[in-house]
């Protein structure tokens, strides 16, 4: 049965999508069967994984259709290659809160949808939006493990605090998801200076071993790869941040396997 992992921070632009791609693609290259789920209406994950331009994407059905249709409708899963499938999103997902406002049990919609596909994958990776609303809530309720993604700066740090309180809310309620575990905090876009060292140290003091070594260094090639919807392992195979991501993906896999 596949394990579900959500990647979260309510700060936008801190590297969540890049990290979900880098981890999932590395695991797929090791022969793991991966399902990516794009929970952000900006659909950056969808663009990178399917190599399509967001402005010309025309998916017949997307995640929002499944959210509205429920388990009988099922998840629209698109096949990318032998090891990677994806449930794409588009701008329609921004209607989620409004569309499900009257649905009872709206915190469980994603969890119910995943039940039907879990057996087909080793890992289901959820790319969360930069907000702690109902979609992220659904992600935490549906997941076995949570990974926090952060930069070593004040805004991300504050974002982490808010994520931690949402985590406490979800695990503190036995009808939500008391089994959810935080397995990692991945520090990305790291550029060494006094301020970033201060925040990294602060995070290490508070989170201890949850912080993954190494941190992922900032690299122009990574942002280029993102804007061209390219896989970082193809675009910059020997780059410093690519190497960091390979190690991070290995470390994360070990943590998931041990659990
Ligand atoms: N290690 C890195 N070095 C440089 N740029 C990065 C790095 N990681 C991510 N980026 C860039 O930062 C921007 C935001 O990253 P993204 O993964 O989309 O963040 P989020 O999903 O949290 O909004 C993107 O343009 C991405 O290419
Ligand atoms: Mg994103």
């Amino acid at each position: 049965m596949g394990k579900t992992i959500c990647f979260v921070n309510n700060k936008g632009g801190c590297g969540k999508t890049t990290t979900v791609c880098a981890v999932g693609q590395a695991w797929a290259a090791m022969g793991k069967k991966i399902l990516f789920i794009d929970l952000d209406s900006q659909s950056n994950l969808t663009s990178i994984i399917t190599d399509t331009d967001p402005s010309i994407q025309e998916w017949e059905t997307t995640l929002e259709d499944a959210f509205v249709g429920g388990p009988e409708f099922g998840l629209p899963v698109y096949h990318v290659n032998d090891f990677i499938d994806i449930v794409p999103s588009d701008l329609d997902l921004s209607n989620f809160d409004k569309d499900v406002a009257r649905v009872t049990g709206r915190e469980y919609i994603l969890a119910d949808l995943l039940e039907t596909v879990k057996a087909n994958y080793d890992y289901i990776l959820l790319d969360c939006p930069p907000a702690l609303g109902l979609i992220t809530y659904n992600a935490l309720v549906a997941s076995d493990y949570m990974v926090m993604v952060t930069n070593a700066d004040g805004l991300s740090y504050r974002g982490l605090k808010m994520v931690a309180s949402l985590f406490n809310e979800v695990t503190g309620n036995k009808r939500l998801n008391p089994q959810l575990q935080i397995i990692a905090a991945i520090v990305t876009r790291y550029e060494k200076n006094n301020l970033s060292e201060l925040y990294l140290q602060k995070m290490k003091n508070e989170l201890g071993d949850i912080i993954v070594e190494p941190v992922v260094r900032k690299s122009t090639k990574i942002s280029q790869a993102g804007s061209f919807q390219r896989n970082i392992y193809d675009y910059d195979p020997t780059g410093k941040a690519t190497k960091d991501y390979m190690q991070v993906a290995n470390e994360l896999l070990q943590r998931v396997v041990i659990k």
Side-chain angles (χ1 to χ4, degrees):
M1 205 55 131
K3 293 288 183 194
T4 304
I5 309 168
C6 59
F7 291 71
V8 198
N9 192 328
N10 69 331
K11 178 174 180 298
C14 67
K16 290 180 292 296
T17 300
T18 308
T19 302
V20 174
C21 285
V23 168
Q25 286 167 333
W27 289 359
M30 296 174 204
K32 306 290 178 202
K33 194 110 204 311
I34 306 297
L35 175 65
F36 287 106
I37 301 199
D38 192 346
L39 291 171
D40 189 347
S41 60
Q42 291 177 67
S43 61
N44 294 335
L45 180 76
T46 303
S47 301
I48 299 174
I49 296 300
T50 63
D51 191 15
T52 50
D53 188 322
S55 58
I56 54 164
Q57 278 170 9
E58 284 191 15
W59 304 101
E60 207 168 300
T61 48
T62 63
L63 182 60
E64 180 62 7
D65 300 307
F67 275 155
V68 174
E72 300 86 65
F73 180 89
L75 273 174
V77 171
Y78 292 80
H79 192 56
V80 177
N81 62 39
D82 285 351
F83 297 98
I84 295 179
D85 287 351
I86 185 167
V87 176
S89 75
D90 62 10
L91 257 186
D92 288 350
L93 187 57
S94 51
N95 297 323
F96 177 71
D97 285 56
K98 185 164 55 70
D99 286 346
V100 301
R102 290 203 183 81
V103 175
T104 35
R106 53 188 176 277
E107 300 88 352
Y108 308 97
I109 298 175
L110 182 60
D112 290 345
L113 285 164
L114 290 184
E115 280 308 316
T116 59
V117 299
K118 264 186 175 173
N120 305 338
Y121 300 96
D122 294 307
Y123 299 107
I124 299 172
L125 305 186
L126 311 181
D127 184 22
C128 289
L132 298 182
L134 190 55
I135 292 183
T136 301
Y137 214 79
N138 261 267
L140 266 62
V141 169
S143 293
D144 298 291
Y145 308 123
M146 176 171 125
V147 172
M148 300 190 284
V149 180
T150 183
N151 301 148
D153 64 29
L155 285 177
S156 302
Y157 177 75
R158 234 182 295 159
L160 286 188
K161 295 264 166 202
M162 293 183 199
V163 171
S165 83
L166 190 67
F167 172 84
N168 289 335
E169 196 180 318
V170 169
T171 53
N173 182 335
K174 58 174 191 291
R175 295 183 60 209
L176 290 174
N177 189 4
Q179 277 87 35
L180 179 67
Q181 297 178 57
I182 300 181
I183 53 162
I186 298 173
V187 181
T188 69
R189 297 180 65 163
Y190 189 74
E191 212 174 14
K192 198 173 168 144
N193 58 48
N194 288 344
L195 195 66
S196 63
E197 284 200 60
L198 177 86
Y199 275 104
L200 181 59
Q201 199 49 55
K202 226 169 148 67
M203 289 173 186
K204 282 183 176 168
N205 291 345
E206 289 180 27
L207 295 169
D209 290 348
I210 286 178
I211 300 274
V212 173
E213 298 279 0
V215 299
V216 178
R217 286 165 286 180
K218 188 169 179 176
S219 143
T220 316
K221 295 273 187 167
I222 297 279
S223 53
Q224 284 172 357
S227 25
F228 301 143
Q229 289 116 39
R230 293 282 304 279
N231 175 332
I232 61 164
Y233 302 106
D234 294 336
Y235 189 77
D236 189 29
T238 57
K240 59 183 181 182
T242 307
K243 287 181 180 160
D244 296 337
Y245 264 129
M246 283 175 182
Q247 289 186 57
V248 165
N250 280 328
E251 169 65 23
L252 202 59
L253 187 59
Q254 282 183 30
R255 292 186 186 198
V256 170
V257 170
I258 290 169
K259 286 286 172 192

